[in-house]
Amino acid sequence: MKVIAAVLLCLLIIRTAHGQYVSCTNPNQRTGYCVNIPLCVPLNSVLAKSNPTDSEMRFIRESRCLVSDQSDLPFVCCTPDTDYNTTRARPNDEVIHSTLLPDRSICGGDIAYNQITKGNETVLTEFAWMVLLEYRPHDGQQLRTYCAGSLINNRYVVTAAHCVSAATRARKGDVVSVRLGEHNTSAVVDCLNGRCLPEPVQIAVEEIRIHESFGTRLFWNDIALIRLAREVAYSPSIRPVCLPSTVGLQNWQSGQAFTVAGWGRTLTSESSPVKMKLRVTYVEPGLCRRKYASIVVLGDSHLCAEGRSRGDSCDGDSGGPLMAFHEGVWVLGGIVSFGLNCGSRFWPAVYTNVLSYETWITQNIRP
């Protein structure tokens, strides 16, 4: 009877909270509402136990959600759910590689891997899948760029959800186009040692698909797809990046080397006109989660990496790629999501782990 009463009370709270709290998704992918934890009977009753299990406490931590409130009490996604063994995403070996995605003969480029030190400039056609998102400010002035993305086929760009969210659009304006084939934003035509590229290509945005669970939990599901208004013609300066399933990647190993690139803030300026690159190293999930434990709960869908001597992804790099060079091609491993104190040795940068979202990507692209 106590369990039934608790569930009924929780349902009552959810009904009365409908007008006050935002909807959310709990770790079992069930829909509820963000409420102060004392108002959520099932989860609060777990805290009242003298010896809650590890799975129960993990479920509570992973149920935390973000709302606009000044309360010191944590908010959780409240549902009548009492199954505290959280549902895992599909194993990576079940990811089906879509026929809409290019194979390794097309994706990932052919530029030889080289050692990367702090803040090196890229060469002209390096990381040719990188795009700049173009925003139209509300004052009607000329287009501006704030975030980046990665071309994954001839019609789609993957980026961070926070780059195209309602909150960002309210501040920066609507994302109306993407710019491909860019190297130096201060030059009309990019040239190096007498070699010049065609002018960058601008393509309008047809549709933006934000992950349906973005915003229900702080810094989770930070991924979005941008469908372009027309197909992209591949060239030496415009080509797609490979996804992990293209080369059979299923997990990241300790010591894994990555490269992050973008036009974001450097140590000497607010942004870089030239596309820069930086080598970073995989940070073990347990270590990264402990570092961020007082701020946000991280999970398998996050990937952490850090550079040496204040090297890091920074403001303006958001949405851009974290890449691994594997079996002769570049693979999209992560999407620049967030971090603290850019370049700090204590705070690794946090990326959306593409391994966790390949199924979502393939389910949301079309010809």
Side-chain angles (χ1 to χ4, degrees), residues 13-30:
I13 289 169
I14 289 174
R15 289 194 187 102
T16 58
H18 182 75
Q20 305 174 46
Y21 298 103
V22 297
S23 62
C24 59
T25 305
N26 80 353
N28 286 337
Q29 303 303 305
R30 295 185 173 99

Side-chain angles (χ1 to χ4, degrees), residues 9-10 13 28 30 59 63 84 119 122 129 148 155 157 180 183 203 221 229 258 289 294 304 316 329 358 366:
L9 182 55
C10 181
I13 289 169
N28 286 337
R30 295 185 173 99
F59 189 94
S63 294
Y84 300 122
T122 59
W129 39 87
R155 204 66 189 270
V157 167
L180 305 99
H183 175 71
I203 300 181
N221 306 304
F258 290 104
R289 290 171 191 176
S294 63
C304 298
V329 296
E358 276 214 66
R366 64 183 194 275

Side-chain angles (χ1 to χ4, degrees), residues 153-167:
N153 73 0
N154 60 8
R155 204 66 189 270
Y156 281 90
V157 167
V158 65
T159 187
H162 77 263
C163 286
V164 293
S165 67

Side-chain angles (χ1 to χ4, degrees), residues 55 68 100 133 136-137 148 154 183 239 262 273 294 299 314 336 347:
S55 62
S68 298
L100 296 177
L133 275 54
R136 186 176 300 284
N154 60 8
H183 175 71
R239 56 185 180 273
S294 63
C314 262
V336 179
W347 299 106

Side-chain angles (χ1 to χ4, degrees), residues 43-54:
L43 297 186
N44 199 45
S45 64
V46 171
L47 292 180
K49 290 183 178 181
S50 59
N51 189 26
T53 66
D54 290 342

Side-chain angles (χ1 to χ4, degrees), residues 229-363:
R230 61 179 174 85
E231 291 187 355
V232 177
Y234 296 150
S235 70
S237 58
I238 301 175
R239 56 185 180 273
V241 67
C242 295
L243 293 186
S245 63
T246 307
V247 294
L249 272 173
Q250 297 183 15
N251 52 64
W252 306 116
Q253 302 294 331
S254 177
Q256 170 75 52
F258 290 104
T259 298
V260 62
W263 293 268
R265 180 157 56 94
T266 68
L267 293 177
T268 58
S269 64
E270 287 302 308
S271 63
S272 169
V274 177
K275 188 195 306 178
M276 306 292 284
K277 63 183 179 181
L278 173 74
R279 184 172 181 175
V280 294
T281 304
Y282 179 67
V283 175
E284 293 293 339
L287 174 61
C288 193
R289 290 171 191 176
R290 288 194 296 273
K291 286 178 179 287
Y292 278 96
S294 63
I295 299 171
V296 62
V297 176
L298 300 180
D300 293 340
S301 61
H302 298 98
L303 191 164
C304 298
E306 62 184 358
R308 297 178 180 177
S309 184
R310 300 186 67 190
D312 199 358
S313 53
C314 262
D315 302 338
D317 291 324
S318 284
L322 178 76
M323 302 161 286
F325 193 74
H326 185 78
E327 296 182 354
V329 296
W330 287 99
V331 176
L332 182 64
I335 301 166
V336 179
S337 182
F338 74 96
L340 292 176
N341 299 330
C342 177
S344 167
R345 289 188 61 83
F346 183 79
W347 299 106
V350 183
Y351 303 81
T352 301
N353 188 353
V354 173
L355 282 173
S356 298
Y357 293 96
E358 276 214 66
T359 297
W360 181 84
I361 291 172
T362 57
Q363 289 175 344

Side-chain angles (χ1 to χ4, degrees), residues 119-137:
N120 280 359
E121 290 187 9
T122 59
V123 299
L124 284 184
T125 58
E126 199 167 11
F127 313 133
W129 39 87
M130 292 189 64
V131 309
L132 282 164
L133 275 54
E134 297 185 319
Y135 298 73
R136 186 176 300 284

